[in-house]
């Protein structure tokens, strides 16, 4: 097996060391120093090169370094080429940590208290128990389901929204466009963990924010293009939303001077909610390569019709 890795080079070198130890028969090359492009079987990429098939004419599998698979130009890829998203426990754990932190921070009014601290204001606001905070997760896939578990355990009133129905203990399931309104109406803290597709681009907009309870808050950890920035700013300025934790934006990095940087009700992080962890990702990759070699279905193959 001949694999090329095109992503952050330092982490690539960790993948290389781990694979050399665990699967020395695999040839693992780091972009852009590829000696034999026509021999390459697999590409693992975050941002792929343009014209992937011209670079690697005999490619057999395309893996995303991350969970998202919206970075690929599917029109340029043969229909028969499997595209595989990353499912690995390290990435899932990172997202669980980030979302739990964000929900607890919002539930405990931390954006407001941090603002007060800067202004040297000692003022308490009424708190409520977790059981009276209604949390709604958009996207109940690998990550959405995982983040819901600790939130249920912490006692939050939890719901999830997805394209098809789910059955998760302690979580109310809402399905499709028809149930989106009811889901939003009961979401005091809304978390976006959707993939970016034609159906979800721009979904975090004024029409959606207006269906949330007044003073609701947002955790945006999906993809930058889900969110219409000016609609979020208007919702925060009008009080329809009270706070937002934003990890992904469009573009990234966010330009200097953008209003998100200074907005007192926004916590902004540079797309770090979760990161693929080489140690566990290499295990997931090896598992999928074994499946591929046995002619079995790999874990995380993208359904191109759905777009994720
Ligand atoms: P999955 O493919 O496992 O889950 C996607 C979920 O979204 C599914 O439940 C799916 O419904 C639902 N969904 C998709 N389209 C729609 C729609 N039109 N209407 C309603 N529900 C929909 O993805 P993951 O959980 O692995 O990852 C989700 C996303 O998180 C990634 O695509 C990526 O964008 C983002 N991410 C961000 C990171 C960060 O650091 N900020 C890190 C990792 C991921 P159904 O199950 O019914 O098909
Ligand atoms: C991912 C990400 O998709 O880090 O894995 O955003």
């Amino acid at each position: 097996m001949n694999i090329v890795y095109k992503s952050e080079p330092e982490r690539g070198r960790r993948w290389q060391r781990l694979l050399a130890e665990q699967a020395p028969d695999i040839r693992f090359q780091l972009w852009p120093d590829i000696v034999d492009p026509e021999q390459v079987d697999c590409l693992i990429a975050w941002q792929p090169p343009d014209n992937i098939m011209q670079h690697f004419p005999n490619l057999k599998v395309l893996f995303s370094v991350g969970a998202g698979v919206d970075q690929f130009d599917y029109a340029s890829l043969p229909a028969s080429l499997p595209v595989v998203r990353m499912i690995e426990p390290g990435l899932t754990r990172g997202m669980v940590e980030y979302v739990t932190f964000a929900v607890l921070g919002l539930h405990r009014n931390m954006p407001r208290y941090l603002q007060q601290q800067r202004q040297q204001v000692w003022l308490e606001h009424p708190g409520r128990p977790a059981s009276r905070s209604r949390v709604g997760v958009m996207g109940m896939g690998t990550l959405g389901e995982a983040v819901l578990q600790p939130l249920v355990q912490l006692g939050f009133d939890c719901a999830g929204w997805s394209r098809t129905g789910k059955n998760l203990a302690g979580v109310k399931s809402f399905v499709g466009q028809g149930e989106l309104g009811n889901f939003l109406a009961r979401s005091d803290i809304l978390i976006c963990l959707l993939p970016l597709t034609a159906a979800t681009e721009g979904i975090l907009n004024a029409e959606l924010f207006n269906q949330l309870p007044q003073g609701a808050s947002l955790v945006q950890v999906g993809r930058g293009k889900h969110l219409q920035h000016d609609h979020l700013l208007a919702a925060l300025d009008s009080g329809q939303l009270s706070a937002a934790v934003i990890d992904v934006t469009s573009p990234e990095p966010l330009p200097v001077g953008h209003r998100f940087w200074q907005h007192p009700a926004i916590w902004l992080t540079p797309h770090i909610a979760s990161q693929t962890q080489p140690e566990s990702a290499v295990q997931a990759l090896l598992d999928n390569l074994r499946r591929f070699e046995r002619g079995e279905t790999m874990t995380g193959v993208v359904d191109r019709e759905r777009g994720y």
Side-chain angles (χ1 to χ4, degrees), residues 104-181:
L104 286 172
L106 292 167
H107 169 63
R108 297 306 304 262
N109 261 328
M110 287 311 287
R112 195 169 184 184
Y113 286 121
L114 284 181
Q115 247 172 282
Q116 288 187 193
Q117 181 187 347
R118 289 192 194 101
Q119 295 159 352
Q120 305 190 32
V121 172
W122 187 277
L123 176 66
E124 61 186 84
H125 304 282
R128 58 181 177 189
S131 57
R132 289 192 41 227
S133 255
R134 296 165 298 176
V135 174
V137 177
M138 301 179 84
M140 293 174 83
T142 306
L143 301 178
E145 284 200 9
V147 304
L148 276 159
Q149 285 168 22
L151 296 175
V152 169
Q153 272 166 16
L154 284 164
F156 287 100
D157 182 355
C158 291
W161 180 69
S162 50
R163 206 177 43 83
T164 59
K166 308 285 165 190
N167 190 4
L168 262 188
V171 179
K172 299 175 185 78
S173 167
F174 292 82
V175 182
Q177 280 303 321
E179 297 184 6
L180 178 60

Side-chain angles (χ1 to χ4, degrees), residues 229-250:
H229 291 192
D230 46 343
H231 293 201
L232 173 65
L233 289 165
L236 289 169
D237 292 348
S238 73
Q240 175 57 22
L241 292 189
S242 59
V245 180
I246 306 291
D247 181 59
V248 286
T249 59
S250 177

Side-chain angles (χ1 to χ4, degrees), residues 191-218:
I191 298 152
C192 176
L193 259 172
L194 289 166
L196 181 65
T197 65
T200 64
E201 184 165 346
I203 191 168
L204 300 177
N205 58 31
E207 191 189 338
L208 178 141
F209 296 145
N210 287 336
Q211 295 175 71
L212 293 167
Q214 189 169 23
S217 48
L218 172 70

